[in-house]
Amino acid sequence: MIALLALFAVWTGWRVFRVDSMVRASFALMLSFVSVGAIGVLLSAPYIGVATVFMMAVEMMVMAIFMVMFMMNPAGLNPMVMVHQHRLSIAAGVLAFVGLSAAILLSPLPSDPVPEGSDVVAQLGHELLGPSMLVFETAGVTLLATMVGAVILSSRQGWFGAADHGSRPPDLTAGGDPAGRQPGDGGGHGHHHHGGH
Amino acid sequence: MTLTIVLLAAAALIGIGLYGALSQQSFVMLMMGLELMLNGALLAVVGFWSQSLGGMPEGQLMAIIVMAVMAVEMAIGFALIVAVYRKRQADMTESIGTLKQ
Protein backbone atom coordinates (compact mmCIF):
# COMPACT_ATOMS: atom_id res chain seq x y z
CA MET A 1 0.00 0.00 0.00
CA ILE A 2 2.73 2.40 0.98
CA ALA A 3 4.69 1.44 -2.13
CA LEU A 4 1.64 2.13 -4.30
CA LEU A 5 1.07 5.49 -2.67
CA ALA A 6 4.76 6.33 -3.03
CA LEU A 7 4.61 5.42 -6.70
CA PHE A 8 1.49 7.53 -7.14
CA ALA A 9 3.15 10.48 -5.38
CA VAL A 10 6.13 10.29 -7.73
CA TRP A 11 3.98 9.83 -10.81
CA THR A 12 1.74 12.79 -10.02
CA GLY A 13 4.85 14.79 -9.19
CA TRP A 14 6.15 13.96 -12.64
CA ARG A 15 2.83 14.88 -14.23
CA VAL A 16 3.18 18.38 -12.75
CA PHE A 17 5.72 19.25 -15.42
CA ARG A 18 4.12 17.23 -18.19
CA VAL A 19 0.52 18.41 -18.38
CA ASP A 20 -0.51 21.21 -20.70
CA SER A 21 -2.38 23.33 -18.22
CA MET A 22 -1.06 25.00 -15.11
CA VAL A 23 -4.29 24.37 -13.25
CA ARG A 24 -3.94 20.68 -14.01
CA ALA A 25 -0.35 20.92 -12.88
CA SER A 26 -1.40 22.38 -9.56
CA PHE A 27 -3.96 19.64 -9.08
CA ALA A 28 -1.34 17.03 -9.92
CA LEU A 29 0.88 18.57 -7.27
CA MET A 30 -2.03 18.46 -4.84
CA LEU A 31 -2.51 14.73 -5.55
CA SER A 32 1.17 14.22 -4.89
CA PHE A 33 0.87 15.98 -1.55
CA VAL A 34 -2.27 14.04 -0.68
CA SER A 35 -0.54 10.74 -1.27
CA VAL A 36 2.40 11.88 0.85
CA GLY A 37 -0.10 12.76 3.58
CA ALA A 38 -1.69 9.34 3.25
CA ILE A 39 1.73 7.73 3.57
CA GLY A 40 2.18 9.77 6.75
CA VAL A 41 -1.11 8.43 8.12
CA LEU A 42 -0.08 4.87 7.27
CA LEU A 43 3.30 5.43 8.88
CA SER A 44 1.64 6.20 12.23
CA ALA A 45 1.88 9.99 11.89
CA PRO A 46 -1.84 10.80 11.63
CA TYR A 47 -1.55 14.43 12.67
CA ILE A 48 1.20 15.27 10.18
CA GLY A 49 -0.54 13.37 7.41
CA VAL A 50 -3.93 14.96 7.85
CA ALA A 51 -2.44 18.42 8.37
CA THR A 52 -0.47 18.00 5.13
CA VAL A 53 -3.62 17.10 3.22
CA PHE A 54 -5.58 20.06 4.59
CA MET A 55 -2.81 22.56 4.12
CA MET A 56 -1.94 21.46 0.62
CA ALA A 57 -5.55 21.30 -0.55
CA VAL A 58 -5.99 24.96 0.40
CA GLU A 59 -2.57 25.91 -0.93
CA MET A 60 -3.17 24.35 -4.32
CA MET A 61 -6.55 26.04 -4.60
CA VAL A 62 -4.78 29.37 -4.01
CA MET A 63 -2.20 28.35 -6.60
CA ALA A 64 -4.90 27.49 -9.14
CA ILE A 65 -6.48 30.90 -8.59
CA PHE A 66 -3.09 32.52 -9.17
CA MET A 67 -2.72 30.59 -12.40
CA VAL A 68 -6.02 31.87 -13.66
CA MET A 69 -5.15 35.42 -12.60
CA PHE A 70 -1.69 35.75 -14.07
CA MET A 71 -0.73 32.95 -16.34
CA MET A 72 -1.19 32.11 -19.94
CA ASN A 73 -3.21 29.17 -21.02
CA PRO A 74 -4.82 28.06 -17.76
CA ALA A 75 -7.23 25.78 -19.53
CA GLY A 76 -4.66 23.74 -21.41
CA LEU A 77 -6.16 24.22 -24.83
CA ASN A 78 -2.82 24.08 -26.58
CA PRO A 79 0.44 22.35 -25.71
CA MET A 80 2.61 24.11 -23.19
CA VAL A 81 6.34 23.72 -23.03
CA MET A 82 8.08 26.58 -21.32
CA VAL A 83 11.50 25.43 -20.34
CA HIS A 84 15.02 26.73 -20.48
CA GLN A 85 18.35 24.99 -19.85
CA HIS A 86 16.47 21.76 -20.34
CA ARG A 87 19.37 19.33 -20.58
CA LEU A 88 21.13 20.80 -17.57
CA SER A 89 17.92 20.51 -15.56
CA ILE A 90 17.34 16.91 -16.55
CA ALA A 91 20.93 16.09 -15.68
CA ALA A 92 20.66 17.83 -12.30
CA GLY A 93 17.40 16.06 -11.47
CA VAL A 94 18.67 12.65 -12.48
CA LEU A 95 21.94 13.26 -10.64
CA ALA A 96 20.08 14.24 -7.47
CA PHE A 97 17.89 11.16 -7.68
CA VAL A 98 20.76 8.78 -8.42
CA GLY A 99 22.98 10.26 -5.71
CA LEU A 100 20.28 10.17 -3.05
CA SER A 101 19.24 6.66 -4.07
CA ALA A 102 22.81 5.45 -3.88
CA ALA A 103 23.11 6.98 -0.41
CA ILE A 104 19.85 5.29 0.63
CA LEU A 105 20.72 1.88 -0.80
CA LEU A 106 24.35 1.80 0.29
CA SER A 107 23.99 3.01 3.85
CA PRO A 108 22.69 0.82 6.68
CA LEU A 109 19.34 2.26 7.68
CA PRO A 110 18.50 2.03 11.38
CA SER A 111 15.33 0.14 12.22
CA ASP A 112 13.47 1.30 15.30
CA PRO A 113 9.82 1.79 14.38
CA VAL A 114 7.25 3.64 16.45
CA PRO A 115 6.06 1.31 19.24
CA GLU A 116 2.63 -0.23 18.72
CA GLY A 117 -0.15 1.71 20.34
CA SER A 118 1.91 4.72 21.37
CA ASP A 119 -0.06 7.95 21.52
CA VAL A 120 1.94 9.92 18.98
CA VAL A 121 -0.40 12.90 18.68
CA ALA A 122 -0.43 13.52 22.44
CA GLN A 123 3.36 13.15 22.45
CA LEU A 124 3.63 15.72 19.69
CA GLY A 125 1.40 18.12 21.63
CA HIS A 126 3.47 17.75 24.79
CA GLU A 127 6.64 18.24 22.78
CA LEU A 128 5.31 21.36 21.07
CA LEU A 129 4.14 23.01 24.26
CA GLY A 130 6.90 21.61 26.43
CA PRO A 131 10.59 21.12 25.63
CA SER A 132 10.37 22.47 22.08
CA MET A 133 8.16 25.44 22.82
CA LEU A 134 10.84 27.91 21.73
CA VAL A 135 11.05 26.25 18.32
CA PHE A 136 7.29 26.22 17.99
CA GLU A 137 6.92 29.85 18.99
CA THR A 138 9.73 30.87 16.66
CA ALA A 139 7.87 29.18 13.81
CA GLY A 140 4.76 31.10 14.82
CA VAL A 141 6.55 34.45 14.82
CA THR A 142 8.14 33.55 11.47
CA LEU A 143 4.70 32.92 10.03
CA LEU A 144 3.50 36.26 11.39
CA ALA A 145 6.48 37.99 9.76
CA THR A 146 5.62 36.12 6.56
CA MET A 147 2.08 37.47 6.62
CA VAL A 148 3.31 41.02 7.12
CA GLY A 149 5.94 40.61 4.40
CA ALA A 150 3.48 39.12 1.94
CA VAL A 151 1.04 41.97 2.48
CA ILE A 152 3.76 44.58 2.07
CA LEU A 153 5.21 42.97 -1.04
CA SER A 154 1.91 42.49 -2.78
CA SER A 155 0.26 45.77 -1.83
CA ARG A 156 0.07 48.68 -4.21
CA GLN A 157 2.63 51.46 -4.07
CA GLY A 158 2.90 53.41 -0.86
CA TRP A 159 2.00 57.02 -0.13
CA PHE A 160 5.14 58.39 -1.72
CA GLY A 161 4.93 56.62 -5.05
CA ALA A 162 7.13 53.96 -6.58
CA ALA A 163 10.26 53.06 -4.70
CA ASP A 164 12.51 53.63 -7.72
CA HIS A 165 10.79 56.81 -8.85
CA GLY A 166 13.41 59.20 -10.26
CA SER A 167 16.25 56.82 -9.57
CA ARG A 168 18.98 56.21 -12.09
CA PRO A 169 20.99 52.99 -12.31
CA PRO A 170 24.77 53.40 -11.97
CA ASP A 171 26.86 53.70 -15.14
CA LEU A 172 28.72 50.78 -16.55
CA THR A 173 31.54 53.12 -17.55
CA ALA A 174 32.32 56.56 -16.17
CA GLY A 175 29.99 59.06 -17.81
CA GLY A 176 28.43 56.37 -19.98
CA ASP A 177 24.88 55.15 -20.27
CA PRO A 178 23.13 53.85 -17.20
CA ALA A 179 23.20 50.07 -16.88
CA GLY A 180 20.19 47.90 -17.39
CA ARG A 181 16.60 48.87 -17.73
CA GLN A 182 15.72 52.53 -17.49
CA PRO A 183 13.22 53.41 -14.82
CA GLY A 184 9.91 54.45 -16.24
CA ASP A 185 10.05 52.52 -19.49
CA GLY A 186 7.36 50.20 -18.18
CA GLY A 187 7.39 46.48 -18.57
CA GLY A 188 8.71 46.60 -22.11
CA HIS A 189 8.73 42.98 -23.08
CA GLY A 190 6.15 41.63 -20.73
CA HIS A 191 3.56 39.88 -22.76
CA HIS A 192 5.44 38.48 -25.68
CA HIS A 193 4.50 34.93 -24.81
CA HIS A 194 0.76 35.18 -25.11
CA GLY A 195 0.64 33.47 -28.43
CA GLY A 196 1.16 30.24 -26.57
CA HIS A 197 4.35 28.40 -27.33
CA MET B 1 12.08 -2.20 3.54
CA THR B 2 9.31 0.32 4.05
CA LEU B 3 11.87 2.95 4.92
CA THR B 4 13.83 2.22 1.73
CA ILE B 5 10.73 2.54 -0.44
CA VAL B 6 9.69 5.79 1.24
CA LEU B 7 13.17 7.28 0.98
CA LEU B 8 13.50 6.29 -2.67
CA ALA B 9 10.18 7.99 -3.40
CA ALA B 10 11.40 11.05 -1.52
CA ALA B 11 14.60 11.04 -3.58
CA ALA B 12 12.55 10.82 -6.78
CA LEU B 13 10.36 13.72 -5.69
CA ILE B 14 13.42 15.81 -4.89
CA GLY B 15 14.94 14.97 -8.27
CA ILE B 16 11.77 15.89 -10.16
CA GLY B 17 11.42 19.06 -8.12
CA LEU B 18 15.00 20.05 -8.86
CA TYR B 19 14.37 19.49 -12.57
CA GLY B 20 11.27 21.66 -12.41
CA ALA B 21 12.86 24.43 -10.40
CA LEU B 22 15.77 24.64 -12.83
CA SER B 23 13.90 24.21 -16.09
CA GLN B 24 10.58 26.04 -15.82
CA GLN B 25 10.32 29.55 -17.15
CA SER B 26 7.11 30.54 -15.47
CA PHE B 27 7.50 31.68 -11.88
CA VAL B 28 4.55 29.68 -10.67
CA MET B 29 5.76 26.45 -12.26
CA LEU B 30 9.19 27.15 -10.80
CA MET B 31 7.63 27.40 -7.36
CA MET B 32 5.86 24.12 -7.96
CA GLY B 33 9.30 22.57 -8.36
CA LEU B 34 10.36 24.02 -5.03
CA GLU B 35 7.19 22.71 -3.42
CA LEU B 36 7.85 19.28 -4.87
CA MET B 37 11.32 19.25 -3.34
CA LEU B 38 9.87 20.19 0.04
CA ASN B 39 7.30 17.45 -0.46
CA GLY B 40 10.12 14.96 -0.82
CA ALA B 41 11.83 16.36 2.27
CA LEU B 42 8.60 15.98 4.24
CA LEU B 43 8.21 12.40 3.06
CA ALA B 44 11.78 11.57 4.08
CA VAL B 45 11.34 13.15 7.52
CA VAL B 46 8.09 11.29 8.18
CA GLY B 47 9.61 8.02 6.96
CA PHE B 48 12.70 8.35 9.14
CA TRP B 49 10.66 9.33 12.17
CA SER B 50 8.28 6.45 11.72
CA GLN B 51 10.80 3.72 11.02
CA SER B 52 13.98 4.54 12.85
CA LEU B 53 13.52 6.95 15.74
CA GLY B 54 11.46 4.78 18.07
CA GLY B 55 8.70 7.38 18.19
CA MET B 56 10.77 10.34 19.35
CA PRO B 57 8.39 13.33 19.22
CA GLU B 58 11.15 15.62 17.91
CA GLY B 59 10.81 13.88 14.56
CA GLN B 60 7.23 15.04 14.24
CA LEU B 61 8.35 18.51 15.24
CA MET B 62 10.79 18.44 12.34
CA ALA B 63 7.95 17.58 9.97
CA ILE B 64 5.93 20.51 11.33
CA ILE B 65 8.89 22.79 10.66
CA VAL B 66 9.09 21.55 7.08
CA MET B 67 5.42 22.40 6.68
CA ALA B 68 6.00 25.87 8.12
CA VAL B 69 8.81 26.36 5.60
CA MET B 70 6.41 25.37 2.83
CA ALA B 71 3.87 27.94 3.99
CA VAL B 72 6.50 30.69 4.21
CA GLU B 73 7.89 29.84 0.78
CA MET B 74 4.45 29.83 -0.76
CA ALA B 75 3.30 33.13 0.78
CA ILE B 76 6.49 35.10 0.15
CA GLY B 77 6.93 33.55 -3.28
CA PHE B 78 3.48 34.55 -4.46
CA ALA B 79 3.87 38.00 -2.95
CA LEU B 80 7.10 38.40 -4.92
CA ILE B 81 5.36 37.20 -8.08
CA VAL B 82 2.63 39.76 -7.57
CA ALA B 83 5.18 42.50 -6.90
CA VAL B 84 7.21 41.68 -10.01
CA TYR B 85 4.08 41.40 -12.11
CA ARG B 86 2.84 44.80 -10.91
CA LYS B 87 6.19 46.40 -11.58
CA ARG B 88 7.25 44.78 -14.83
CA GLN B 89 4.24 42.90 -16.20
CA ALA B 90 6.54 39.90 -16.07
CA ASP B 91 5.57 36.35 -15.28
CA MET B 92 8.54 34.54 -16.81
CA THR B 93 12.12 34.42 -15.65
CA GLU B 94 13.43 35.72 -18.98
CA SER B 95 11.44 38.91 -18.56
CA ILE B 96 13.57 40.12 -15.68
CA GLY B 97 16.92 39.63 -17.36
CA THR B 98 18.16 43.01 -16.15
CA LEU B 99 18.78 41.38 -12.78
CA LYS B 100 21.69 39.62 -14.46
CA GLN B 101 23.76 42.75 -14.87
Side-chain angles (χ1 to χ4, degrees):
Chain A
M1 190 62 196
I2 288 179
L4 279 181
L5 279 171
L7 209 60
F8 186 68
V10 173
W11 182 71
T12 44
W14 175 242
R15 291 301 294 163
V16 167
F17 300 113
R18 276 290 158 266
V19 290
D20 283 336
S21 128
M22 288 188 177
V23 175
R24 276 182 222 158
S26 78
F27 281 111
L29 186 57
M30 182 170 83
L31 284 178
S32 180
F33 274 114
V34 166
S35 33
V36 166
I39 291 174
V41 172
L42 288 179
L43 287 177
S44 58
Y47 180 80
I48 307 287
V50 173
T52 307
V53 171
F54 281 161
M55 194 174 127
M56 289 310 144
V58 174
E59 203 172 302
M60 290 310 134
M61 287 303 157
V62 174
M63 217 169 199
I65 291 173
F66 263 85
M67 309 283 180
V68 177
M69 277 168 66
F70 285 134
M71 303 301 151
M72 56 174 283
N73 189 21
L77 295 177
N78 40 13
M80 174 184 84
V81 179
M82 295 187 299
V83 289
H84 52 188
Q85 47 187 10
H86 203 208
R87 284 207 190 133
L88 173 76
S89 313
I90 292 175
V94 170
L95 192 68
F97 174 63
V98 169
L100 288 171
S101 307
I104 292 160
L105 294 174
L106 295 181
S107 53
L109 296 173
S111 179
D112 186 6
V114 179
E116 280 291 322
S118 65
D119 201 354
V120 291
V121 179
Q123 284 173 5
L124 173 63
H126 286 125
E127 179 71 24
L128 284 182
L129 297 181
S132 299
M133 197 168 195
L134 184 63
V135 177
F136 186 50
E137 294 292 327
T138 309
V141 174
T142 309
L143 287 174
L144 177 66
T146 302
M147 284 194 270
V148 175
V151 169
I152 291 173
L153 276 175
S154 57
S155 65
R156 290 192 179 280
Q157 301 299 342
W159 290 351
F160 303 107
D164 62 352
H165 178 73
S167 71
R168 187 171 180 277
D171 306 338
L172 284 177
T173 56
D177 286 334
R181 176 185 148 275
Q182 302 304 308
D185 68 354
H189 41 288
H191 275 277
H192 58 88
H193 55 266
H194 269 293
H197 46 127
Chain B
M1 191 57 206
T2 310
L3 182 56
T4 312
I5 293 171
V6 167
L7 288 181
L8 282 178
L13 284 174
I14 289 174
I16 297 171
L18 186 63
Y19 158 75
L22 287 178
S23 72
Q24 297 296 313
Q25 289 180 312
S26 157
F27 290 130
V28 179
M29 294 299 285
L30 193 155
M31 279 183 55
M32 286 196 171
L34 296 179
E35 290 275 318
L36 213 52
M37 278 199 271
L38 282 170
N39 193 14
L42 182 68
L43 186 59
V45 167
V46 169
F48 260 122
W49 169 78
S50 156
Q51 298 297 311
S52 57
L53 281 182
M56 258 170 73
E58 286 88 344
Q60 294 195 70
L61 182 76
M62 184 80 190
I64 295 234
I65 290 176
V66 172
M67 287 169 67
V69 169
M70 273 184 196
V72 170
E73 179 252 316
M74 186 86 178
I76 293 293
F78 272 129
L80 281 173
I81 292 174
V82 173
V84 169
Y85 190 80
R86 284 242 168 89
K87 194 76 193 157
R88 305 269 176 93
Q89 293 291 309
D91 62 357
M92 311 253 282
T93 47
E94 268 74 8
S95 313
I96 50 173
T98 51
L99 285 182
K100 276 182 182 169
Q101 288 164 356

